[in-house]
Amino acid sequence: MIDVADLVRRRGGRAVVDGVSFTVAAGEIVGLIGLNGAGKTSLIDCIAGLARPDAGLVIVAGHAPGSVAARRETGVLLQQPGLPARLTVAETLALFAGLHGVAVDERLAAALGLDALAGCRVDRLSGGQEQRLALALALQSGAPALVLDEPATALDPLMRRDLVVLLGERRAGGAAVLLATHDLAEASSLCDRVVLLHQGRLVAQGRPADLISATAATLADVVLTISGEPGR
Amino acid sequence: MMGRLLRANLLATARNPMALIYGWLFPLIFLAGFWALYGDDPLPLALHAGQFFTITILGSAAFGLPTQMVAEREAGLWRHYALTPAPRWRFVLAMVLARAVLLAGALILQHLAARALGMPALPHPVSTLLALIVASLCFLCIGALIGSLVGNVPAVQALGQCIFLPMLILGGVAVPLASLPDWALPLSNLLPGRHAVVAIQTAVTGTGTQAARFELAMLAGHGALALVAAVLLFRWEPGARVQIGRRGWWLVLAAAMWLALAGLAHSRARPVPAPPDRAAAGVVADYVRGVGAPAVPRKKLPVAQNHPQPLPSDQVRDGLQAGRGAVVPVPQPVPELPQELPAPDLDAIAFERLPPDAGLVAPIAAEPADAALANALARIERQLAQWPPARERDAVQQVRNLLLIAAVPDLLQMDPLERHLPLLVEAQLQARFAAPALQRLLLAIALHPDAGSVAARADLPALGLPAHAGPEPALRGRVMLYAFKLLGRVSGRRVGDPSPPDDKQEPDPDPAQGE
């Protein structure tokens, strides 16, 4: 569903993504893991069509990223999602549903606790509430490919638990989910596979259990070891 | 999809207090400035409606719209929109339309305030609405182009000023084109400001949409090109550079078409005359040889004869067939013709000193009316059949009332109508009076401009013309001029300009006759 082959993205002459290749199949959740500056967000920008790769190839649901067809087939949560500050939660949900050509997913909104915030203006929401709204916007399109950049950021434990349930449902429904996260416990429990990035390069990928058993006791140890900072 | 985008933009704008304050309060401040300058005009503010409406539109387009676009882009909202399958042009168009609604509120408010300050009712509301819509969309598309070009809000101010100020100063919006040096006139053709002013002004004090169709077409052309360029240069990402790439040829084509529009406007532009003193009508003595004018009794005189209704003279009929207006003689109540009117001594009249017909004071058209103008004249002529002042039984007063139909539009600069209405009046007069009687009537009015009443100026809206509310002396001066001019025409002493038009021949302004 999401195919990345030899992707290179340069910024200021430096390769922030350097020859990365991996795939996310339908019905699979793949974790994208790495320290700050590893290249996760640049990679997601390329997959979402917001940035043009300098080399390599990205295919999303059979389409080039950024094309209308690809955008229709992809739900994206950005790390800093810009939201229409002066609209209410309900108006924002309706607007983005309209832009995707779907109806507002009331069940999803309720699952994310947005039904109680329907009349609240976006610029008066807390950080966690904004994150829930942005997550709803990414998920409500019903797109078969989901690209989520740190979806659990600012969410409270209850909402994180609900998020895991929601993503599990999407996986069961056949969606391909690429999940960039710093929450390694979450990645261990939720992801079918993880892709480890370090300084723009893919340094390891596989099932969390396989990586842990091969190199370390936890996924965090794996990341620190691979990034060259085992004692940190 | 478009409806939701438009609704979202409208809601966001309506909930932005600063947008409302700047968008709606500033136009009123502009209007107050115009009121301070032109509040004493014969028709307060109406002669400058094209200017202040255009400034309002321009301000909203050059600053309001691009500021909103760039602020939303900087906040990441456009980046978020980029993830949806909606095409970029829909976002640009929705923002333009939403801003147009805000602008409509500002224009309505400004119009209501202008009415409260004395501006007369719009004679052509539909034409005015159309002109405002076309001008608004044109400038808002230019605003969208600014928003696409610049990268941050301070840059909006910089580029907005680069559009706003030249349009005000060189584009004929705040400074009349007639006041510009020769080198600046071609530059004004590059900017659509002049077309907006003419289109709106023609609707407010002119003949309406058809007379301004060239300007409306130019505005539509400028707007379409700006919209295309805005979409081509549109950026979702804050801080991203303008990406031209394969769109470069389209931009080159748009720029070439823009220059072509400017060239077309330049080729169609009429010569801009020197700023006239339009109040200058002169006094009777300017147009009479020798000392003093023959006395004419001002009291109403007994009926001398009941004159039958003649058909238009061959001369006028020929003129009408040439397209100068479709006048059909309408049976009128027989006016009372004063018996003691002087026999005209036409040799005593210095017709050659009258302002040229091609000039700006008391003009008379030499060219045929186009189809749009002919329609407007025919409409006025039909309404004239029911106009009570044209049925006045006192012949002198009836002629004076009819002359007001030419004099008021002239004072109000209702070009091109002002140049053709005298021909309509002439035909009406010739349809009502035999030539000798008409000459005596016109001479009586010309020699005694202060006599009689000009109260019928308030009844002109019944003809689709604006009422005149300013000082009487300027209006009486115009009535005098047209009485002299039509006297020259019906007597055959002066038909058309004796020499090539030269505005410098117009009489010096006389403060006593000032507007």
Side-chain angles (χ1 to χ4, degrees):
Chain A
M1 185 72 76
I2 300 174
D3 297 292
V4 179
D6 299 323
L7 184 69
V8 178
R9 169 72 178 161
R10 293 192 180 87
R11 189 177 293 164
R14 189 175 70 88
V16 291
V17 179
D18 191 1
V20 172
S21 300
F22 66 92
T23 61
V24 184
E28 183 182 36
I29 298 178
V30 172
L32 192 58
I33 296 172
L35 301 179
N36 290 334
K40 301 188 297 294
T41 297
S42 294
L43 179 58
I44 283 178
D45 282 353
C46 290
I47 296 170
L50 294 174
R52 187 169 298 186
D54 293 292
L57 188 67
V58 179
I59 299 291
V60 180
H63 307 286
S67 64
V68 172
R71 284 183 277 164
R72 193 171 284 127
E73 302 290 325
T74 315
V76 181
L77 171 69
L78 298 173
Q79 199 173 29
Q80 295 176 316
L83 297 170
R86 292 189 178 84
L87 298 189
T88 65
V89 167
E91 289 162 353
T92 304
L93 287 169
L95 170 63
F96 278 81
L99 293 175
H100 279 284
V102 299
V104 173
D105 188 340
E106 303 288 355
R107 184 183 153 274
L108 174 68
L112 289 169
L114 295 174
D115 48 351
L117 299 170
C120 283
R121 269 176 55 162
V122 169
D123 56 0
R124 292 170 191 161
L125 298 178
S126 69
Q129 290 168 334
E130 276 191 19
Q131 184 70 2
R132 282 148 57 188
L133 175 58
L135 198 52
L137 298 180
L139 297 178
Q140 77 169 355
S141 67
L146 291 174
V147 180
L148 309 176
D149 196 352
E150 301 188 18
T153 299
L155 296 185
D156 59 41
L158 287 176
M159 195 52 66
R160 285 178 181 231
R161 186 195 62 195
D162 293 342
L163 173 65
V164 169
V165 173
L166 276 173
L167 293 181
E169 288 176 1
R170 293 301 168 107
R171 170 173 54 192
V177 183
L178 178 64
L179 181 75
T181 181
H182 287 294
D183 188 336
L184 301 179
E186 176 188 84
S188 299
S189 62
L190 181 62
C191 297
D192 301 301
R193 288 188 300 120
V194 292
V195 171
L196 267 60
L197 291 182
H198 181 60
Q199 294 181 345
R201 293 184 179 175
L202 193 157
V203 291
Q205 64 174 319
R207 294 173 51 210
D210 294 343
L211 291 174
I212 291 169
S213 60
T215 59
T218 66
L219 195 53
D221 293 334
V222 175
V223 173
L224 292 175
T225 301
I226 290 173
S227 61
E229 300 186 34
R232 186 169 162 179
Chain B
M1 185 189 298
M2 194 67 196
R4 291 203 178 176
L5 266 176
L6 183 58
R7 181 170 182 271
N9 272 289
L10 284 172
L11 288 171
T13 304
R15 291 169 185 165
N16 184 351
M18 295 310 290
L20 295 180
I21 289 172
Y22 283 112
W24 288 1
L25 183 62
F26 274 13
L28 298 180
I29 295 173
F30 293 142
L31 185 71
F34 273 87
W35 167 248
L37 289 170
Y38 306 113
D40 294 330
D41 276 4
L43 216 64
L45 293 169
L47 299 182
H48 302 275
Q51 290 173 289
F52 63 72
F53 280 138
T54 300
I55 291 175
T56 298
I57 295 169
L58 193 50
S60 179
F63 301 110
L65 175 66
T67 299
Q68 183 187 351
M69 276 181 75
V70 175
E72 289 186 353
R73 188 198 294 137
E74 286 186 313
L77 179 58
W78 291 89
R79 193 167 197 260
H80 202 167
Y81 284 151
L83 302 172
T84 70
R88 69 177 75 190
W89 65 265
R90 291 198 183 191
F91 292 97
V92 178
L93 192 59
M95 190 162 274
V96 165
L97 293 177
R99 183 58 62 160
V101 173
L102 176 72
L103 184 52
L107 292 170
I108 290 170
L109 212 56
Q110 199 175 32
H111 174 246
L112 292 176
R115 291 278 288 131
L117 291 173
M119 191 174 95
L122 298 171
H124 307 292
V126 175
S127 297
T128 308
L129 183 64
L130 179 66
L132 290 174
I133 289 173
V134 174
S136 297
L137 292 177
C138 169
F139 285 117
L140 287 171
C141 290
I142 293 174
L145 177 57
I146 296 173
S148 289
L149 282 171
V150 302
N152 51 58
V153 172
V156 170
Q157 298 301 318
L159 186 57
Q161 295 289 4
C162 289
I163 303 282
F164 187 75
L165 292 178
M167 201 96 82
L168 289 189
I169 297 167
L170 296 177
V173 176
V175 179
L177 293 175
S179 302
L180 295 180
D182 290 343
W183 62 263
L185 288 174
L187 294 179
S188 73
N189 291 315
L190 292 167
L191 307 168
R194 61 184 294 172
H195 305 304
V197 173
V198 171
I200 297 170
Q201 195 62 52
T202 302
V204 174
T205 56
T207 56
T209 299
Q210 295 207 39
R213 57 185 186 275
F214 175 75
E215 282 73 20
L216 292 170
M218 293 298 287
L219 287 169
H222 278 276
L225 289 177
L227 184 62
V228 168
V231 172
L232 289 174
L233 296 170
F234 185 80
R235 289 169 291 163
W236 301 105
E237 296 271 354
R241 291 180 182 173
V242 173
Q243 298 286 333
I244 295 178
R246 286 176 297 178
R247 303 175 196 136
W249 288 110
W250 289 106
L251 290 171
V252 169
L253 181 64
M257 291 179 69
W258 177 49
L259 292 175
L261 283 181
L264 186 60
H266 185 70
S267 67
R268 285 284 300 259
R270 282 188 296 184
V272 179
D277 181 352
R278 298 187 63 92
V283 295
V284 173
D286 290 334
Y287 310 113
V288 178
R289 302 181 213 284
V291 180
V296 176
R298 297 188 183 185
K299 65 179 181 181
K300 188 176 171 184
L301 298 173
V303 178
Q305 58 179 315
N306 288 339
H307 199 283
Q309 303 292 315
L311 290 172
S313 69
D314 291 343
Q315 178 190 0
V316 174
R317 192 179 297 124
D318 291 346
L320 298 177
Q321 286 169 352
R324 294 183 184 180
V327 178
V328 178
V330 177
Q332 300 291 333
V334 178
E336 297 171 359
L337 193 66
Q339 196 173 28
E340 297 177 23
L341 289 178
D345 177 7
L346 298 177
D347 291 335
I349 308 300
F351 289 110
E352 73 280 3
R353 295 184 202 160
L354 289 166
D357 289 353
L360 290 159
V361 175
I364 298 178
E367 78 283 3
D370 61 20
L373 198 56
N375 284 339
L377 291 168
R379 189 176 65 244
I380 292 171
E381 195 267 337
R382 283 195 301 274
Q383 291 163 328
L384 189 57
Q386 304 300 323
W387 197 49
R391 305 162 74 90
E392 167 67 45
R393 291 195 63 81
D394 179 338
V396 179
Q397 187 59 46
Q398 185 184 119
V399 173
R400 186 179 288 107
N401 291 345
L402 288 168
L403 289 171
L404 288 174
I405 296 170
V408 169
D410 173 34
L411 268 181
L412 302 182
Q413 306 176 34
M414 294 174 63
D415 188 53
L417 199 59
E418 61 172 333
R419 295 182 288 115
H420 289 268
L421 280 173
L423 296 172
L424 185 150
V425 172
E426 179 188 2
Q428 283 286 327
L429 292 173
Q430 291 193 312
R432 291 160 189 255
F433 302 99
L438 181 55
Q439 290 178 27
R440 285 197 292 163
L441 289 163
L442 288 170
L443 184 66
I445 293 169
L447 296 179
H448 295 281
D450 295 333
S453 167
V454 290
R457 62 182 176 158
D459 299 325
L460 288 171
L463 301 178
L465 299 171
H468 181 268
E472 279 193 19
L475 180 59
R476 289 181 178 276
R478 285 299 197 281
V479 170
M480 174 196 72
L481 282 181
Y482 277 119
F484 273 128
K485 284 196 163 189
L486 295 190
L487 175 60
R489 292 175 68 92
V490 299
S491 65
R493 294 296 184 102
R494 183 184 191 279
V495 179
D497 287 333
S499 57
D502 181 359
D503 289 345
K504 291 175 183 173
Q505 292 176 4
E506 292 179 9
D508 292 331
D510 181 352
Q513 297 280 334
E515 289 182 46

